[in-house]
Amino acid sequence: MSSPDTVNTDPVLIDRSLCKACGICIAFCPKKVLEADESGIAVVAHPEECIKCRMCELRCPDFAVMVRSEGDE
Amino acid sequence: MNENLAEYFRGDHLPHIWCPGCGNGIVTAAIVRAIKELGWEKDDTVFVSGIGCSSRAPGYLDFNTLHTTHGRALVFATGIKVARPDLNVVVITGDGDASAIGGNHLIHAARRNIDITTICFNNNIYGMTGGQYSPLSPTHSLASTAPYGNTDRTFDLCRLVEAAGAAYVSRGTTYHVVPLTNLIRDGLNKRGFSFIEAVTACPVYFGRRNKMRTAVDMLNWQKEAAVPVSRAKDMDPGELAGKIVIGNFVDLDIPEYTESYERLLKEHASDRSGS
Ligand SMILES: Cc1ncc(C[n+]2csc(CCOP(=O)(O)OP(=O)(O)O)c2C)c(N)n1
Ligand code: SF4
Ligand code: SF4
Ligand code: SF4
């Protein structure tokens, strides 16, 4: 996770206020980019592995995940 | 929230009330993505729902929305479509809402071939009221009202709607979310009655009782049970037991109800002005 004074350059953005810790995005990421923190909320653990397939975004039941498109970074 | 979706949601109503891992949010987001792809205007689009966990979806959507009574969404939707054929009318319904209390309305909306898209969130159970079995609960599955297993045979709702005369019928799952979104888009785009059964997960009342404790277990079940319609054609009923056949079943260009009604009014315009 990035600290507040650094710019977040993660390929995937997770809205912690919406995540309900269901684990779907973590379980089905083909590159194991995402992990659960101590309360089960998804965090971007291995950003360099992300292939931007968007499956985490499309399967999140809580509209909490967004994969940055090229050019957003 | 996900900025790709935000303009279509009532953000101040989020987070939604659905349980962690409930598939309703996956289907709702798929519907929104399909509408975005089609470029539909929010003001030209009406969502109508009945009662149930799934039927709460329109409450989160920043469109014209109507939350009606249990099983009756298609009745209200028919009224809207006949009064304002220019609007896009979309019904969100649960498997109980659509096939039990609302089953008769579903048959007749399909028979009329009225230009309404109905998306049935099939979680195989009555979620809102605590897990009673529905006509779409699998035979032998456990429910609060079937502690020793459900003895009923299961409705194949897609085949029912096909037989009743719908123009477009498809089934998808939340695991297969990209094809599901495409099936919804094609149904929305179709002139006539469109029915899309979206197989979704109620981990709380269906999953836990049926050896699928988590939302991840339920998505794995959808992944493993799904058979594409092209492959299902060569399988016998025994092989298809417990499977979820996914894909498009019906896509027809047949006369649509409000157009036929308009034509009738035009043909009889002189009789009517004389009366
Ligand atoms: C006339 C009437 N009968 C019964 C109920 C109680 N009731 C509310 S929701 C529901 C079933 C919900 O199941 P489903 O349609 O499958 O939706 P889900 O909650 O699973 O999404 C029932 C029986 C009601 N609200 N109104
Ligand atoms: S899928 Fe969504 S709600 Fe579930 S853990 Fe991932 S971010 Fe959280
Ligand atoms: S975009 Fe694909 S690879 Fe990247 S985190 Fe999401 S699921 Fe994993
Ligand atoms: S009870 Fe089931 S259908 Fe209702 S919100 Fe919870 S998981 Fe979803």
Side-chain angles (χ1 to χ4, degrees), chain B residues 236-249:
Chain B
D236 59 44
E239 292 173 305
L240 283 171
K243 300 290 185 203
I244 306 167
V245 182
I246 58 170
N248 173 249
F249 306 110

Side-chain angles (χ1 to χ4, degrees), chain B residues 101-124:
Chain B
I101 191 167
N104 213 24
H105 302 304
L106 179 65
I107 294 168
H108 293 290
R111 174 176 66 84
R112 290 184 176 125
N113 194 36
I114 187 162
D115 186 29
I116 294 170
T117 300
T118 294
I119 300 152
C120 176
F121 289 41
N122 176 16
N123 60 6
N124 307 101

Side-chain angles (χ1 to χ4, degrees), chain A residues 15 17-18 20 22-24 27-28 54-55 57-63 65-67, chain B residues 1-4 9 15-16 18 20-22 25-26 29 33 175 177-178 216 219-220:
Chain A
D15 184 338
S17 69
L18 290 182
K20 290 185 190 154
C22 72
I24 290 176
F28 295 103
R54 291 186 71 219
M55 293 319 299
E57 176 176 337
L58 299 178
R59 292 205 189 99
C60 172
D62 285 89
F63 327 127
V65 184
M66 188 175 80
V67 180
Chain B
M1 89 176 277
N2 177 351
E3 283 168 32
N4 294 324
F9 280 84
H16 54 56
W18 294 320
C22 172
I26 308 178
R33 287 189 186 95
Y175 176 82
V177 62
V178 175
V216 171
L219 285 186
N220 276 320

Side-chain angles (χ1 to χ4, degrees), chain B residues 36-58:
Chain B
K36 192 174 172 180
E37 193 181 330
L38 293 171
W40 282 8
E41 294 293 331
K42 296 197 282 186
D43 285 347
D44 298 339
T45 305
V46 191
F47 278 95
V48 188
S49 66
I51 299 291
C53 294
S54 42
S55 287
R56 300 196 65 146

Side-chain angles (χ1 to χ4, degrees), chain B residues 24 51-55 70 94-97 101 123 125-129:
Chain B
N24 289 347
I51 299 291
C53 294
S54 42
S55 287
H70 195 28
D95 48 301
D97 198 63
I101 191 167
N123 60 6
I125 206 86
Y126 286 1
M128 177 167 269
T129 44

